[in-house]
Amino acid sequence: MPRIGEYVARADGIRTWIESGSFYIDDQSTDSIIILKNITITEILPYFMFDYERFALSCWESFSVYKEESNSHNLLAWPFLKLYYSAFFGAHAAMRVVGEAVIRIEHGQAKRLSELVSIFMAPGFHVGTGTYHVRTIQNPDLTINVILQKLSDTGGAHDGFWRVFSGFLQEIEAESIRDRYVDAGIIVSKIEDLTKITKAYGGAAGNWLSTIRNRINYSHDFGVWFPIKGSHTSLDDLRGIVFRSLDGIRLDINPGKEPLRAFAAASQVLASLSFEIAEQIAAQSDAATRFGSKWKRLRRELRDGEPARSG
C-alpha cells in the first residue's frame, strides 16, 4: 500500500476502522461478500499499519525465541512451534502490507455493518460474526473499495488463514507475470518452491505447515519432544537457521522424506520475507511514534534472531 510506513498506527487496526470509519455499503453486496465504498487511502492506512506492525514485530520476536531456545538447550519441540508462529505472523504481515488481511469480525463490527446495511440496502441479509478475507481495491478516482468475504469456520482459524494465504501467493505470482515484473522469474520460482511444501501430499488447501504444527503440538509426532528420538542428523542445520536473504534459503526438500527440514525451511522463508519487508518499511518511517522507531528498538534487543549481548 502506498506510503504505508509513513502513517502512525491506529489502535486495534481494521476492526476499529469498521466500527468507526466513513464508508457506505455498495448495493451489490451479498450475505457472503460485503463491499465498502467511498474510502480514502489516508483514512484506512493507519489501521492497516497497526495490524502490520503487530505481526511484523511478533514475527521477529517469535523467531528470536526459537533461536535462543534451540541453541541454549537440547530441546526442539517448543522452539519448532515458535518457528511456526514466526512464519504465521510473517505471512499475516506480508498480506497487510499490500492491503489484504484475514480478520475475525466480532459483535461490535457486525452490528455496525448490519446497521449500515439497513440504511443503504433493501432488507434481506444480516452481517454475521466470523472470519473474513479483507481486500482493498483502488478506484480510478483514487478512492478505495474494501471487500469483506466471509470464510468458512470449518477446519480452525489457522487452516482457514493458510487457505487464503495460498490463494494470495498465486495472485502475486500471476500479477508478476501479467505486469512483467523485472524479477518475475525469481518470484514465480520461489512461490512454486514454497507451494510444493505448503501443499504437500497433494493437498489443495496450502495448510501443510499447520498440519505439521498440530502433529508436533498435539500428537507429539516426529520424536522432537524430550527425549529426542532417532538420529536426527540434520538437527544442527535446523538449529542454525537465521533470518537471511531469501536467495540463501533452499526449498528443494521432499516433505515426505524430510518433514522437519521442509517445515523449518518454509517457515524460515516466510519469516525472512517479513523481515525484508520490515527493513524497507522501517527505512521509510523514522518518526518517534512510527514503525521505524519500534523496529530499531527491537533491533537493539535482537541481532539476527538472537538476543543482543550486553557489553
Side-chain angles (χ1 to χ4, degrees):
M1 299 184 80
R3 299 168 52 206
I4 186 169
E6 299 177 19
Y7 286 82
V8 178
R10 293 290 298 271
D12 204 27
I14 300 168
R15 295 195 303 179
T16 294
W17 173 77
I18 290 174
E19 290 192 34
S20 60
S22 175
F23 55 83
Y24 66 83
I25 308 288
D26 188 89
D27 60 9
Q28 298 300 308
S29 299
T30 67
D31 286 358
S32 57
I33 299 179
I34 305 162
I35 305 169
L36 314 182
K37 303 188 73 172
N38 194 38
I39 304 157
T40 65
I41 192 73
T42 55
E43 176 191 351
I44 197 170
L45 264 178
Y47 298 95
F48 262 95
M49 193 62 203
F50 177 88
D51 284 340
Y52 169 74
E53 281 188 3
R54 67 187 180 91
F55 283 117
L57 295 171
S58 59
C59 169
W60 194 3
E61 182 175 332
S62 299
F63 194 95
S64 175
V65 174
Y66 155 76
K67 285 290 298 175
E68 181 177 19
E69 292 183 352
S70 63
N71 286 332
S72 300
H73 310 286
N74 188 30
L75 303 173
L76 276 179
W78 275 112
F80 261 39
L81 295 174
K82 289 163 187 174
L83 178 61
Y84 165 83
Y85 274 98
S86 73
F88 181 70
F89 294 146
H92 269 285
M95 289 188 70
R96 259 55 172 204
V97 83
V98 296
E100 293 197 36
V102 175
I103 68 170
R104 180 79 185 176
I105 287 184
E106 305 290 0
H107 175 73
Q109 300 91 51
K111 181 175 181 291
R112 169 92 194 289
L113 291 171
S114 295
E115 289 171 349
L116 291 175
V117 164
S118 68
I119 296 173
F120 292 107
M121 297 183 62
F125 74 86
H126 171 74
V127 179
T129 60
T131 304
Y132 285 76
H133 179 195
V134 180
R135 291 178 293 130
T136 57
I137 299 174
Q138 189 169 60
N139 300 310
D141 64 0
L142 301 184
T143 62
I144 300 293
N145 289 357
V146 173
I147 316 297
L148 303 175
Q149 182 173 0
K150 198 171 192 304
L151 304 175
S152 169
D153 284 331
T154 59
H158 283 246
D159 283 359
F161 169 76
W162 288 117
R163 284 194 295 269
V164 173
F165 186 73
S166 181
F168 168 76
L169 289 179
Q170 304 313 306
E171 290 175 4
I172 295 294
E173 181 179 6
E175 180 181 309
S176 71
I177 297 171
R178 182 185 67 244
D179 295 346
R180 299 182 179 181
Y181 290 179
V182 174
D183 51 358
I186 297 173
I187 293 171
V188 170
S189 176
K190 189 65 71 175
I191 288 176
E192 289 183 349
D193 287 345
L194 179 61
T195 299
K196 287 177 183 176
I197 294 177
T198 60
K199 292 187 175 182
Y201 306 111
N207 62 337
W208 185 79
L209 291 178
S210 181
T211 298
I212 298 301
R213 167 254 193 177
N214 287 340
R215 289 181 62 184
I216 292 173
N217 196 24
Y218 302 115
S219 302
H220 290 200
D221 286 345
F222 305 110
V224 294
W225 290 92
F226 184 85
I228 294 174
K229 299 176 183 177
S231 60
H232 284 312
T233 55
S234 62
L235 291 189
D236 286 342
D237 292 338
L238 298 177
R239 292 189 179 100
I241 68 174
V242 295
F243 277 131
R244 62 179 60 171
S245 168
L246 292 173
D247 294 336
I249 304 172
R250 294 186 58 180
L251 287 171
D252 54 341
I253 304 167
N254 186 326
K257 294 181 178 179
E258 298 184 278
L260 293 181
R261 286 193 64 213
F263 175 85
S267 298
Q268 183 188 13
V269 162
L270 293 171
S272 294
L273 173 63
S274 175
F275 182 85
E276 290 190 6
I277 293 171
E279 288 281 86
Q280 295 180 35
I281 292 178
Q284 305 167 13
S285 172
D286 56 9
T289 57
R290 294 178 180 164
F291 176 69
S293 64
K294 297 174 186 176
W295 188 250
K296 291 171 185 175
R297 282 166 51 199
L298 190 58
R299 286 193 70 111
R300 288 196 293 269
E301 297 294 328
L302 311 171
R303 285 200 307 262
D304 199 25
E306 297 195 43
R309 300 289 183 254
S310 60

